Amino acid sequence: VTGVQTCALPISSVGAEYDGTMNVWNWRKSTVIATTPISARVGSVDARADGTFVTSGYRHLKFWSVCQPSGCSSGAAHIESRSAMLGVERESLFVGAVGGVSRADARNVYGLSSHGLLCLFNEEHTIARYVNVKPGGSDGRAFALDACAGCVAVGCSDGIVRLFAPTTLKYIATLPKPAACGRQNVSHVDQELSLSYDAADAVFPDAVCVSLSKDGKFLTAIYSDHSLYVWDIQNTQSIGKFRSSLAHAGSVWDVEMIPDGATKLPPGTFATASADSTVRFWNLDQRSKDVPVRKQEERNAYSRETVSIVYCGVDATFARWKAADPDDGEVQQQGAAVASPEQVEIRCLRISPDTA
């Protein structure tokens, strides 16, 4: 579902593959303005500043506009469409499409294919420019796309997020990577690992969603391990982490409170067990401002609420922490890979009263 930034304009929704309809809504009245069948497998819909919409999917990138009946006509509104001229990309899966934001860029639309080709479509709906975003090796995939007045952002495999200039598609910067899947239980950020792209022994989650703030100062990314990062991109020569939060990469099966005073863990700590082969300790209490920082317990460098993480027989490839290949068609669920014999799911968790 997406809506035009101007609140007076409508929003559009596209159903799942077997729903096969696109609806444009008057959100104030909760009524459907117009509807039309859609046969393609659509993965995203975006609203443009002029009130039109663009959808993307498998062998699909299409522009839509709502045509209102004339003043003398009592007929209902209808939706007209026009397909983009995809050329050599006509067999590609487009994982996202967004309209340009600035006045100079308003007539352009950016489309991103799953194999990492970022295309600029002009007002004739043809590819005017393109660039390979290099989504990470021969098996790398692109997953997400967003744009603001200052840049176009793409999210790819292995935690790669890159920025490009609007209109020209000139490369601007690559963001630091998030915490490696097997190295999240740390109290300090490993800057060298975060900025390295040759860490062969480290597995990074995929950047499956990116969103730019309206002023272009911050980029929020969600990764395939369910972690969330807010990056400060005001200075593209020195991009840093503004906020981050970790979560289990799989289903949570159990939760257990830790007895207060029985351990060195802060009061109010609880533990969770998950299908991602980890036991995590959490504490939601704010740190006291009256206690010196040196006397306060150390917390996780990537999540204020995380006290500690215990890895229990995790598959070395972290297959279930990675996103499904968007080109796999029907397989769209994360963690679709078959678990290896080393994969352990923690189903039940109990803490002894004396925590021994």
Side-chain angles (χ1 to χ4, degrees):
V1 178
T2 187
V4 181
Q5 293 180 1
T6 305
C7 292
L9 294 177
I11 63 173
S12 175
S13 65
V14 178
E17 183 176 3
Y18 298 107
D19 175 74
T21 59
M22 175 179 181
N23 297 306
V24 177
W25 303 76
N26 181 323
W27 66 272
R28 292 184 182 275
K29 297 181 179 180
S30 299
T31 57
V32 176
I33 298 173
T35 184
T36 187
I38 185 168
S39 59
R41 176 160 60 90
V42 174
S44 75
V45 55
D46 186 66
R48 303 176 65 193
D50 60 1
T52 62
F53 300 91
V54 57
T55 56
S56 62
Y58 178 58
R59 296 192 297 187
H60 172 93
L61 198 148
K62 188 171 284 191
F63 300 82
W64 307 82
S65 58
V66 179
C67 298
Q68 300 289 347
S70 59
C72 59
S73 173
S74 59
H78 64 281
I79 303 174
E80 292 186 352
S81 67
R82 181 178 174 184
S83 296
M85 303 297 292
L86 301 179
V88 295
E89 292 300 302
R90 60 183 176 273
E91 298 296 324
S92 297
L93 168 65
F94 282 86
V95 296
V98 296
V101 176
S102 67
R103 181 174 298 181
D105 199 31
R107 295 186 177 182
N108 295 328
V109 166
Y110 300 93
L112 179 66
S113 71
S114 61
H115 58 267
L117 202 68
L118 175 61
C119 303
L120 183 151
F121 294 86
N122 57 25
E123 55 186 320
E124 281 79 35
H125 305 161
T126 60
I127 299 176
R129 258 184 211 93
Y130 62 88
V131 63
N132 185 344
V133 304
K134 299 180 180 179
S138 59
D139 296 328
R141 291 291 182 267
F143 294 96
L145 172 69
D146 198 20
C148 67
C151 66
V152 179
V154 297
C156 307
S157 298
D158 301 325
I160 296 174
V161 178
R162 303 195 199 278
L163 306 179
F164 297 86
T167 306
T168 64
L169 299 185
K170 181 180 178 181
Y171 171 78
I172 297 177
T174 299
L175 274 62
K177 289 191 175 184
C181 296
R183 304 182 186 182
Q184 294 184 347
N185 192 33
V186 294
S187 57
H188 298 88
V189 175
D190 187 339
Q191 295 288 355
E192 184 176 348
L193 179 64
S194 178
L195 297 173
S196 172
Y197 287 85
D198 298 316
D201 60 332
V203 178
F204 293 92
D206 306 316
V208 296
C209 181
V210 294
S211 178
L212 290 158
S213 62
K214 190 175 181 180
D215 58 11
K217 294 181 179 180
F218 298 96
L219 183 148
T220 301
I222 296 176
Y223 297 88
S224 57
D225 65 347
H226 301 170
S227 61
L228 182 148
Y229 286 69
V230 180
W231 300 99
D232 185 341
I233 60 172
Q234 297 180 67
N235 180 0
T236 55
Q237 301 302 313
S238 181
I239 296 174
K241 180 173 72 70
F242 181 71
R243 291 283 189 274
S244 62
S245 180
L246 300 179
H248 278 293
S251 302
V252 175
W253 292 114
D254 203 2
V255 60
E256 183 81 359
M257 291 299 301
I258 307 298
D260 290 346
T263 68
K264 295 182 179 180
L265 298 174
T269 298
F270 60 94
T272 54
S274 171
D276 67 2
S277 305
T278 67
V279 174
R280 305 190 184 217
F281 296 85
W282 312 85
N283 192 287
L284 305 182
D285 293 338
Q286 296 291 326
R287 298 189 187 190
S288 174
K289 296 181 180 179
D290 300 327
V291 179
V293 174
R294 65 179 181 275
K295 292 186 177 181
Q296 296 189 40
E297 71 282 350
E298 283 192 337
R299 294 289 182 91
N300 190 284
Y302 297 99
S303 180
R304 293 177 176 179
E305 299 80 18
T306 303
V307 179
S308 183
I309 302 174
V310 178
Y311 293 89
C312 306
V314 180
D315 174 15
T317 65
F318 288 91
R320 290 195 173 187
W321 296 43
K322 302 285 283 182
D325 188 335
D327 288 319
D328 283 348
E330 297 295 331
V331 181
Q332 291 297 318
Q333 296 182 355
Q334 182 207 352
V338 177
S340 74
E342 300 177 5
Q343 185 74 34
V344 175
E345 291 194 12
I346 313 300
R347 291 296 186 107
C348 185
L349 179 68
R350 291 294 179 267
I351 307 294
S352 62
D354 60 358
T355 68

